[in-house]
Amino acid sequence: MSTPAAHPTKTQVCIIGGGPSGLLLSQLLHLKGIANVVLERQSRDYVLSRIRAGVLEQGFAKLMREAQCGERMDREGEIHDGFFIAHGGQLSRVDLHQHSNGNSVMVYGQTEVTRDLYEARDRLNGVVIHNAENVQPHNLKSEAPAGSAESKPYVTYQHAGASHRIDCDYVVGADGYHGVSRKSIPSHVLKEYEKVYPFGWLGVLSRTPPVSPELIYAKHERGFALCSMRSQVLSRYYIQVPLTDSVDNWSDEAFWEELKRRLPTEVANRLVTGPSIEKSIAPLRSFVAEPMRYGNLFLAGDAAHIVPPTGARGLNTAGSDIHYLYHALVQHYAKGDDTGLEQYSAQALARVWKTQRFSWMLTSLLHTFPDNSAYDQKLQEVELQYLFSSEKALGALAENYTGLPF
Ligand code: RFL
Ligand code: PHB
């Protein structure tokens, strides 16, 4: 556990949020000699108890290696060359390898990514302050002459009853959708785009062998279902549920029964069930905030954008933000060149919108929408028929799922 001897009063980059985005940036900057502090509202145990993403694109995995955090991921993560789409009682395979010039994805949970990042931060004595309360960035866009002390931002927070202040050059808002950073940007500057879907995903983690060696995305008239995994002994399953449902209404038995109904019979017959070790409902939402820079504040990851989990893009898109921001900050500190910082928002958003499009497309294709007409349903069906009859359509799916270049 990194316990700072004292709370630093000065750093170069103050990062708000100790999720995967904040920790990855912190580690990468540290390796380049750029001082930084991470302020996290929750305890480490709490952050590590969140079960979220499971699929990493190669670009994200590469960034983990660059951050010297890839060893366990490469040992324990599973390379997947394809996945299945179940529809009309059949399983159709999307061969990612074949349709994306030999690309693949890595199945390795976000919880493990975060654990590896914390351990790396500890090894280098990185400063991660947990249980930081009332974190607030200040002076993000000052009128004072650039470079003067008065022009610089600072961040205040409370910890164990005491108030603290960190002066810095830049603030990075990596504090997720509910964080304080985006809210610090004046509303006349920020433009928000949002789409809320009329359903959520009920997710269950169980100590059972996965039903399939590769993920199965199932389209069914009763609602979407997903069979995923964390390892050969740990499975992660999801079913689409109405937003009005609560976890308390779903016993394990009811969950397994409903999941089986939505899978092709031969898959349902081999499903191994067991007690859930985690069960939660996530609402599905698409969201983008523009711009991703305000003065000396840079937003990254879920703080700036959210996708429905269908395309497995959220964490991966956070990774591409961190890639751009990391290189821009290195360019600034090593060469005094601010081009990357100036281009950050536009560059990150260009890729963000492509992942929005893909996540929306896959969500629309595979879910049951309460107000869909018979015509809408026919379109979903023909879209799937077209997909599996066209090398080019499969190529586009594989290209997006394995990750657009950054
Ligand atoms: P996080 O993970 O939300 O971390 C933000 C951190 O900031 C802290 N925080 C604050 N700290 C200080 N002061 C404040 N005022 C603060 N407010 C908040 C929070 O405590 C937290 O620790 O954002 P980050 O780092 O940008 O990471 C983003 C990812 O977590 C997210 O995009 C993914 O989990 C999305 N996602 C998936 N992404 C993928 O790429 N592949 C997947 O397979 C995938 N599956 C998923 C997913 C998300 C899901 N849910 C639950 C929404 C599956 C699901 C079900
Ligand atoms: C997961 O394993 O949690 C997971 C996998 C693929 C997705 C979403 C979530 O598209």
Side-chain angles (χ1 to χ4, degrees), residues 197 283-288 302 305-315 317 352-360 363:
Y197 295 86
L284 264 63
R285 172 194 306 274
S286 301
F287 173 83
V288 181
D302 277 17
H305 42 78
I306 300 279
V307 282
T310 328
R313 296 297 85 202
L315 177 60
T317 311
V352 160
W353 276 109
K354 289 180 193 154
T355 62
Q356 290 283 326
R357 184 205 69 82
F358 177 66
S359 304
W360 159 81
T363 303

Side-chain angles (χ1 to χ4, degrees), residues 51-55 107 201 215 217 224 226-230 236 238 309-313 362 401:
I51 309 290
R52 288 185 173 176
V55 175
V107 171
W201 279 16
L215 274 67
Y217 291 81
F224 170 81
L226 171 61
C227 306
S228 182
M229 66 203 72
R230 292 291 175 274
R236 179 70 166 161
Y238 298 95
T310 328
R313 296 297 85 202
L362 215 53
Y401 192 85

Side-chain angles (χ1 to χ4, degrees), residues 16-22 39-42 46-47 50-56 110 132 135 174-180 201 236 238 282-283 300-303 309 312-318:
I16 305 179
S21 299
L39 298 175
E40 166 59 50
R41 181 166 60 183
Q42 305 286 358
Y46 183 91
V47 175
R50 294 193 288 231
I51 309 290
R52 288 185 173 176
V55 175
L56 308 179
Q110 176 170 332
V135 175
D175 47 353
Y177 180 70
H178 298 287
V180 65
W201 279 16
R236 179 70 166 161
Y238 298 95
D302 277 17
R313 296 297 85 202
L315 177 60
N316 291 308
T317 311

Side-chain angles (χ1 to χ4, degrees), residues 325-339:
L325 190 51
Y326 158 57
H327 285 284
L329 287 166
V330 169
Q331 204 179 15
H332 167 83
Y333 284 110
K335 300 190 186 135
D337 180 351
D338 283 353
T339 323

